[in-house]
Amino acid sequence: MKYHLQPIGTKMSEAKKKRSRGRPRSLDRTRILEDAMRLYWHEGPLRLSLNEVCRRLEIAKPGLYREFGGEDGLLAACLDLYWDLYMKRLHDFLSTTDQPFLKQIESVIDAIAGEVSGMATDAGCLSVKMRSERNRLGPIARARVEQLERDNLTSYESWIRRAQSEGTLRVDLDPSTLASYVDAQVFSAFHQKGQGVDGDIIRSNAKLAFSILLLPETGKD
Amino acid sequence: MKYHLQPIGTKMSEAKKKRSRGRPRSLDRTRILEDAMRLYWHEGPLRLSLNEVCRRLEIAKPGLYREFGGEDGLLAACLDLYWDLYMKRLHDFLSTTDQPFLKQIESVIDAIAGEVSGMATDAGCLSVKMRSERNRLGPIARARVEQLERDNLTSYESWIRRAQSEGTLRVDLDPSTLASYVDAQVFSAFHQKGQGVDGDIIRSNAKLAFSILLLPETGKD
DNA sequence: CCCATTAAATACTAATCGGTACAAAATAGA
DNA sequence: TCTATTTTGTACCGATTAGTATTTAATGGG
């Protein structure tokens, strides 16, 4: 395994402004990246050889190396795209005040356990799969994963803080601790989804797990 | 990948009774199996090539094939050994009535999150790692994993039933549903352990997760 | 029209993979 | 000692891997 510690695709992008002579680009970076993201999402990162990835993406290997610097850079770019397309939505949703806390929890559970074709298809969640492989990722993708985990926790924590200040969440628990807990539960649900666990089981597990967030007197269901 | 659908190592074992002429066995099956179990435990199943496994176990490749039939059989045998050495203990412990329900929960949490060198070392838990790779296992190992999951759930369910009949666990929740929940939480904790998550975080997550099992009026701590 | 320049893909490398033929080693009986 | 038998390990197979050198294609400028 060889790693490029300096960005590669980006350097090309910033030089894209000027296009003098030379063979014009035919490689569609956007298409490749979207296909790669879906591919890793369904098959799992590091589950396919780079040869096989190139075969499925219908791109020559040197093209992939030139454009992404290798597997590490490609995985990092895929995770970025996944974040932009799916995870940002989730965290944006949690930061809105349109719905009450309880409804938000239900929505999240539905989004994971249901058959909605959002960030959680039958394939599970790409970010969860990336996190599961964190120790085998290259330095670039691993750094992205770690940043994503920090962003996750930050989002959950502010979500919890807001609910506590609104009085819709018990205040006898530390927000940071709860954020870790929520992250672990969301991770677990997505992980089960990716393993093919039945949606009803995932839902009942998640409902139980999130029930600790409810106010003691709201212990109904 | 080639799979042997009929037991191989066992057939040899039963024929062991008679030893007429021929080169005497020098291969130490027990040693190989124990080393392989620890190896897969720490490195993860399917994470090493069979060549590398043979290298580390200091066994020639044909010997491994002859003795275990290949990777699939070896993994299955390792999982069996892990069950016998570690997981049986856990489930035996849950089925005893020496300690009250609450204490048992605490013990389980300690066993996972602590530094105890039981079934959960820093490497995590072999059965959890096997379950995580279930879809990539061969038919023999996968069948073992599925049997193990059934045994897990059965054990948790009877544990829960007993606690409910003793009045130490709220009875407004279905034992089967709770068993799934407990399994998911134990799985999650072990998974985090294997990922290198800090023990204190694992412990606080687990404490929160198991707090739903407590009686409503026991909501202290 | 030719050349410099840029991008693309072919074709190659050494290494490793899963799996196995086959030969070497080590015994018991003849 | 010789042979049949069983185990072990070497040495090989074709396929695949990560990564790259090299060639080919396609353009704009001179």
Side-chain angles (χ1 to χ4, degrees), chain A residues 41-62:
Chain A
W41 188 356
H42 286 79
E43 304 292 337
L46 307 186
R47 288 273 121 80
L48 298 174
S49 71
L50 215 46
N51 282 337
E52 183 64 25
V53 168
C54 291
R55 218 167 289 137
R56 306 234 195 151
L57 297 181
E58 293 175 312
I59 181 183
K61 209 169 8 165

Side-chain angles (χ1 to χ4, degrees), chain A residues 191-202 205, chain B residues 134:
Chain A
H191 191 267
Q192 291 184 78
K193 184 84 175 181
Q195 293 274 61
V197 175
D198 183 75
D200 291 336
I201 292 181
I202 299 177
N205 283 347
Chain B
R134 55 145 68 245

Side-chain angles (χ1 to χ4, degrees), chain B residues 93-137:
Chain B
F93 171 71
L94 292 186
S95 69
T96 61
T97 54
D98 302 352
Q99 293 189 31
F101 186 64
L102 260 171
K103 277 283 175 193
Q104 282 182 314
I105 292 181
E106 283 176 17
S107 296
V108 169
I109 293 177
D110 277 341
I112 303 175
E115 287 80 19
V116 194
S117 63
M119 66 186 285
T121 65
D122 289 336
C125 167
L126 179 59
S127 97
V128 163
K129 292 185 174 184
M130 288 260 192
R131 291 171 69 183
S132 291
E133 308 256 29
R134 55 145 68 245
N135 296 324
R136 278 171 291 278
L137 295 177

